[in-house]
Amino acid sequence: MALALGCWERFEDHDAPSDDPSGHAVRAASPEDVAVCMKECLSLGFGGFVVRKEKATFRPLGRLALIDQRTSGFWGRGAILYVVPDEAAVHAAELLHPIPGEERVEVTLEGGEEEEACFAAEASASILKSRSGYFESAFRHNWQDGVATEGVAKHCFKEFPGGSRTFEFAMAWLSTAEGKAVGSPWPILDCADACALTGSAAYLDSPSLLRAAARSWRLAAARGRQELLQVAGAVAEASPQFGAGHGQELVVQELRDLLQEMPKHHLQLAPEFAASPVTGLAALEARHSARETLVGHIKTVGNWVGSVIGGESRRAPTSEDNPHDFAAQLFELHEPYFVSSPPELRRLLRHVDPTHPIPAPLCFRLAAAAASAAAVAEDEVFAGHRLALDIFERSLGAESDPASAASDDACAVGLFGAGLREPTSPPALGLEILARPLVPPAAAAVILGRVLASWAARSPSSEGGDAAEVIFAGVVANRQGLRTMLSAALPRIEAEDRTNQERGSSLGGAAAMARSRSGESEWGSCFDLAVPELRAAFQGAAAAAVDRAGLAGEGIADETLSLLFRVLFRPTGGLPGVRFPLSLLRQLRHQGGPCSALAAERLLEELRISQRGSAGRWQLAQSLWSSVDWDAQHEELLEEAANLLRQWLGEAEVDGGASRAQAAVQLFSALPLQRLPRPEELLAPPVPAHVLAMLGHRCQLQNATRLAVLESENVVLREHISHLQNEIRRSS
């Protein structure tokens, strides 16, 4: 009898009626595949399945209904109908003749105030424990309601997720041993029942029940997009209730199976998928690998054409359509999990598009995570550092107030290590990124200032160096890429200076600085990189250089001092109040524009206050006068230089009259005397007569040159007139 009841019935050239004959086809090309279908059919509550052309479709009817309603003839030709064994008789026999010593339990659900218990099920305790973590824990702690009757324990639910209908579905499956047929009310046909049962499966700690419910519903018929997304969302929302391990793997696999039913343009990344990091990753990967249909391709092209023609997309994209946005939100929701699991983090970051900005401060935390996830191994290469750079500069550049965004600790501390007393690892990003074109200078200045300030704070007091010395040493050693950043920023500073000159926004000196900074946007200027910490470092090193080599600074070849000088001089308006070797001004001679004017002003200022009444000032002026491109200076500055020399000549000095006059002639000869306003006054005694004669000679040469140019132009004009006259004669 047991053998007869336990046998499957097979009907050649027979089919069975179904609302959706195509159903959801699964592979059935071999005896092994058919055996898998038999197992699925039993555990999911189907009465049987039909195999046609190596594909099996399940029939959501009972065993007897399938046998009674099976059809043959034309529609059944080539089909094989498999019908489940008669498990109902076996189950009844087991209840009448239980196995000696087997513990049994009656599970009931209480009704409301006006109804009795709506459902009761008697089952083997061992089966319930094997299929549900809830019951396993209940029996382990000897939880039961009431007194056992005839050896049958009692367990009563006061309420149940999804109500009595869901309770009936759940207990029908949980009380059935593996390998036996699940009876009524299975299979799951309604989307609402499938969603409710996934929630109750989470409550009962039964991942197998969740998978069976979703799979039974999915295999019963071909499902539409909205229903698939609804059930997939319910599965994802239930997933956090299952800990890491086999149970969670079952849930995630069922989610993948549900999502792979849809083409890419149907698969929306709903917020429910982000309920846990594993389901979010599964949804992202399912969408990435989803098939692209012709309809989806046409929609994609249509949206692109609409955005090009109309200037904007027909429908504003959301995170449900954009894997990049969904990946960023998933990281924000489950950041501790991803940070502690680099392999999962790398899986997530592959869906992040660095060309799309991410709001701050999330972008900084994501960039730091990307840098930490960098991996180069035999089986994996992940350019996490490159991704971190792109995320940082693209996202920071898109902020409306970059400086405010950069002041967040997630940026200065998390990415660049500012303020960390004892960093256990190198910062995620080096300072060299601050010179990249897409990084707003205003934000770069905030980060640079905080990092440099933290260096001195972390420096051991036993070293005896102050903050300026620590920062200067950091430039020398290229600490965190600081020297690289300054070298890369220098051409941008010089280019911005030239741009300001072309726009007429810079006139030189402190006033030029005020004008160049006024009206700037939140983006900032490259001049912002001249932070006070760098100025203090330069000031300390420059003072030491002046003590060693004097104010002229001849013979000093300090590349670091020179680099800092070129970076700081123009943005700070000529380094006012800072004493430095004046030989550094030679580096600015060919830069032109406002920077050249600042250099001339600074030289004249230093000459005024140095060695008053001493012949040594003439020597200082002679050694540094050529540092300035006097031909590029405006007339007011030339007049100022001439007045300074005239003043020196008028002061009584103890000796050196002849050498003083010779030095004056040499210095005046370097000036473009023709451009001096009122030269007859400026070059009058005590200025040596040689200077005025030199002016006359230059004017004579200039006039001769102009005369030669005019004569050559006259020759050309005469030839042209002669040619025209000849043309007129020939034409007449």
Side-chain angles (χ1 to χ4, degrees), residues 620-696:
L620 181 63
Q622 283 180 292
S623 64
L624 297 174
W625 203 254
S626 61
S627 301
V628 175
D629 182 7
W630 294 106
D631 290 331
Q633 307 308 318
H634 51 84
E635 294 180 358
E636 292 82 358
L637 198 56
L638 294 176
E639 182 179 4
E640 187 177 344
N643 275 326
L644 176 64
L645 297 178
R646 180 181 175 83
Q647 178 185 347
W648 284 3
L649 288 169
E651 294 177 356
E653 295 186 358
V654 178
D655 54 9
S659 60
R660 180 181 57 186
Q662 183 179 0
V665 172
Q666 179 184 351
L667 297 178
F668 270 110
S669 65
L671 300 177
L673 300 176
Q674 309 91 299
R675 293 174 51 209
L676 285 175
R678 307 183 314 279
E680 64 281 358
E681 297 179 11
L682 291 175
L683 301 182
V687 176
H690 303 74
V691 177
L692 194 57
M694 188 186 307
L695 172 60

Side-chain angles (χ1 to χ4, degrees), residues 79 509 586 621:
R586 291 195 180 96

Side-chain angles (χ1 to χ4, degrees), residues 134-210:
Y134 173 90
F135 284 109
E136 193 277 333
S137 178
F139 290 124
R140 185 173 67 249
H141 294 90
N142 195 26
W143 292 343
Q144 61 175 319
D145 303 292
V147 181
T149 304
E150 298 180 356
V152 178
K154 296 182 181 295
H155 188 88
C156 179
F157 287 96
K158 301 295 183 181
E159 57 183 3
F160 193 81
S164 59
R165 179 175 174 83
T166 305
F167 176 81
E168 186 176 356
F169 274 110
M171 293 310 304
W173 190 88
L174 291 175
S175 60
T176 303
E178 187 173 355
K180 302 293 184 180
V182 179
S184 179
W186 285 67
I188 311 297
L189 303 179
D190 188 72
C191 176
D193 289 335
C195 293
L197 201 49
T198 58
S200 66
Y203 176 77
L204 295 170
D205 191 14
S206 178
S208 298
L209 172 60
L210 182 147

Side-chain angles (χ1 to χ4, degrees), residues 424-439:
T424 57
S425 60
L429 298 180
L431 294 175
E432 65 273 6
I433 191 179
L434 300 182
R436 291 167 71 110
L438 294 181
V439 177

Side-chain angles (χ1 to χ4, degrees), residues 269 284 287 317-327 353 356:
L269 297 170
L284 280 169
R287 191 182 192 281
T318 64
S319 60
E320 296 184 2
D321 305 310
N322 192 334
H324 165 80
D325 291 342
F326 183 84
D353 185 353
H356 290 182

Side-chain angles (χ1 to χ4, degrees), residues 286-359:
R287 191 182 192 281
H288 178 74
S289 59
R291 66 187 187 278
E292 185 75 76
T293 63
L294 179 60
V295 174
H297 182 69
I298 292 174
K299 287 184 176 181
T300 301
V301 174
N303 287 334
W304 179 80
V305 172
S307 65
V308 172
I309 296 176
E312 59 181 6
S313 177
R314 297 176 182 176
R315 179 173 62 90
T318 64
S319 60
E320 296 184 2
D321 305 310
N322 192 334
H324 165 80
D325 291 342
F326 183 84
Q329 293 176 9
L330 187 64
F331 176 83
E332 185 175 22
L333 290 172
H334 307 286
E335 183 175 350
Y337 171 84
F338 287 111
V339 171
S340 62
S341 180
E344 306 305 309
L345 176 60
R346 286 191 280 271
R347 288 174 57 194
L348 174 71
L349 292 174
R350 288 187 174 91
H351 302 279
V352 173
D353 185 353
T355 63
H356 290 182
I358 300 172

